[in-house]
Amino acid sequence: MKTLICTIPLALFLSCGTVKMKETNLADITPVTEKEKVTPVAISSNEVQFSSSDRIEELMSFLASDDLEGRDSGSEGIEKAANFIENIFKENNVKPYFKIYKDTLSNYNKTSYNVVGVIEGNDPVLKNEVIIIGAHYDHIGHIKAVNGDDIANGANDNASGTSTVLELARYFGNTKTNKRTLIFSLFSAEEKGLLGSKHLSKKLKEENLDLYVMLNFEMVGVPLVNKSYTMYLTGYEESNMAAIANKYAKGKLVGFLPEAKKYNLFKRSDNYPFYSAFNVPSQTFCTFDFTNFNHYHGVDDEVELMDFSFIAGLVNKVIPMVEGITNAPTKEIKF
Ligand SMILES: [Zn+2]
């Protein structure tokens, strides 16, 4: 997420260079004490047992390791992440959407790639309709050192969303239960202004892709606190996506966060370029609510702080949600 609202670079969520929001001083945001942190209960009854905390730890420990040096766009570190993602696609029957998996950005001055894979739908008609499932895998690289540590590892931002998308790709790559075609895209240069998603949305629009919806995952590394739902949806009021998602989750998986509306997060993540280019419901799922994680864009956004079993549980709840949306006879998600 690119710096957004805070005096301290705290770009939220989604790059925002464009809009200077109300200054907020992190010091004003009272960090959540341990006592206040409640373990969220399983809120949606429909979940599969597919992903595990071990698996999530494995993915995130690599993506957010010092070796990848904070995955700045165009860096050696992010190249290792791109190769890692490509291998996971290959191992799980996810084909390259273009000739190769790496989709070189046309709008950034350093060589950078989105990594784009596809699982064709198994229905002769619905396979012509496409759902994009995405997350940005870049972060901000080396920053001002704190106690000798100058790597912004980007565990929550956004190795967590990247791992979620990789687990969904692994599930559908091995079950092929999707009637509509699924494109899995890991975006680069989000922190530079949503450049990866702007590049891809333009390219796919030019080839007249029949995009149904775009589902984006951002900062899902730690649970929300004292909320009656697991993740919030940006642009909640833009469409009925939350209601449809909860229908297939058989519970309140997705909810509305007032701050997400207040800070206009709908326009600050990789969902937005797809909304602009295709004018279809394109929204972001997130669990960062400005109070439950104090290391945004800092050197301490480390894998040790991530809740692996929470993320695995989230993946296991999201799978039936995506399956329901992908296999519905009609495009029921609407503005
Ligand atoms: Zn981010």
Side-chain angles (χ1 to χ4, degrees):
M1 249 187 269
K2 195 172 156 208
T3 309
L4 171 68
I5 43 179
C6 268
T7 49
I8 299 171
L10 169 59
L12 273 184
F13 219 93
L14 337 190
S15 59
C16 76
T18 48
V19 179
K20 195 88 192 86
M21 303 300 250
K22 186 176 74 53
E23 297 288 333
T24 311
N25 192 335
L26 260 184
D28 302 337
I29 299 176
T30 47
V32 175
T33 61
E34 283 310 309
K35 193 168 66 33
E36 287 166 327
K37 282 188 181 158
V38 297
T39 318
V41 296
I43 293 162
S44 64
S45 59
N46 195 6
E47 64 184 279
V48 299
Q49 293 312 315
F50 174 75
S51 188
S52 67
S53 59
D54 289 353
R55 172 72 182 174
I56 295 293
E57 181 171 2
E58 193 189 322
L59 295 171
M60 294 192 68
S61 299
F62 178 81
L63 290 166
S65 61
D66 282 354
D67 185 37
L68 272 60
E69 299 183 75
R71 307 185 310 278
D72 195 11
S73 303
S75 70
E76 275 177 38
I78 198 172
E79 179 89 16
K80 294 174 184 169
N83 297 336
F84 179 74
I85 292 166
E86 192 172 319
N87 287 332
I88 289 177
F89 279 172
K90 280 179 187 156
E91 288 161 7
N92 293 287
N93 316 311
V94 181
K95 295 205 171 49
Y97 179 76
F98 301 111
K99 282 202 184 71
I100 59 172
Y101 291 101
K102 289 189 177 106
D103 162 41
T104 305
L105 271 58
S106 56
N107 54 5
Y108 189 52
N109 57 17
K110 291 183 187 163
T111 304
S112 296
Y113 325 99
N114 297 322
V115 185
V116 189
V118 64
I119 301 172
E120 193 181 27
N122 61 36
D123 181 278
V125 178
L126 291 177
K127 73 176 182 181
N128 300 316
E129 297 177 8
V130 175
I131 292 174
I132 294 178
I133 298 173
H136 76 92
Y137 74 107
D138 68 301
H139 197 46
I140 57 177
H142 291 270
I143 59 174
K144 195 163 151 294
V146 177
N147 304 328
D149 177 4
D150 73 344
I151 296 177
N153 296 72
N156 201 2
D157 188 10
N158 190 30
S160 63
T162 299
S163 301
T164 298
V165 169
L166 290 175
E167 283 292 86
L168 293 172
R170 183 168 71 93
Y171 176 83
F172 287 101
N174 292 291
T175 61
K176 305 273 188 213
T177 54
N178 52 301
K179 289 183 178 176
R180 288 182 173 82
T181 293
L182 298 176
I183 290 180
F184 294 91
S185 182
L186 287 309
F187 303 108
S188 187
E190 184 271 355
E191 304 282 5
K192 311 296 182 192
L194 309 179
L195 299 182
S197 50
K198 282 177 181 169
H199 159 85
L200 185 64
S201 57
K202 184 168 173 288
K203 194 173 175 180
L204 294 177
K205 183 64 184 172
E206 281 161 5
E207 64 172 54
N208 260 333
L209 188 88
D210 181 357
L211 182 63
Y212 169 24
V213 291
M214 196 274 179
L215 312 176
N216 194 50
F217 292 88
E218 171 83 72
M219 295 189 73
V220 292
V222 295
L224 287 162
V225 177
N226 295 337
K227 296 282 190 300
S228 63
Y229 50 85
T230 302
M231 343 179 253
Y232 67 87
L233 189 63
T234 68
Y236 187 93
E237 295 153 329
E238 291 288 330
S239 78
N240 64 348
M241 187 186 285
I244 300 293
N246 287 333
K247 175 177 83 173
Y248 292 118
K250 291 198 174 64
K252 198 152 186 223
L253 177 63
V254 180
F256 171 70
L257 185 81
E259 289 80 9
K261 184 177 181 183
K262 181 178 165 193
Y263 298 134
N264 205 359
L265 300 186
F266 175 65
K267 292 187 174 179
R268 295 193 165 79
S269 187
D270 293 306
N271 61 291
Y272 194 64
F274 290 92
Y275 169 81
S276 308
F278 286 90
N279 194 29
V280 300
S282 306
Q283 293 160 256
T284 291
F285 299 93
C286 184
T287 69
F288 171 58
D289 69 356
F290 311 95
T291 71
N292 60 346
F293 191 71
N294 301 322
H295 306 293
Y296 175 77
H297 274 208
V299 295
D300 292 330
D301 182 359
E302 302 269 10
V303 76
E304 289 74 24
L305 298 178
M306 298 294 99
D307 187 332
F308 305 129
S309 66
F310 167 73
I311 302 166
L314 183 144
V315 169
N316 291 336
K317 290 184 188 98
V318 166
I319 286 170
M321 175 193 98
V322 172
E323 223 155 29
I325 291 171
T326 302
N327 296 343
T330 60
K331 289 181 176 180
E332 56 188 342
I333 297 178
K334 295 184 172 78
F335 289 128

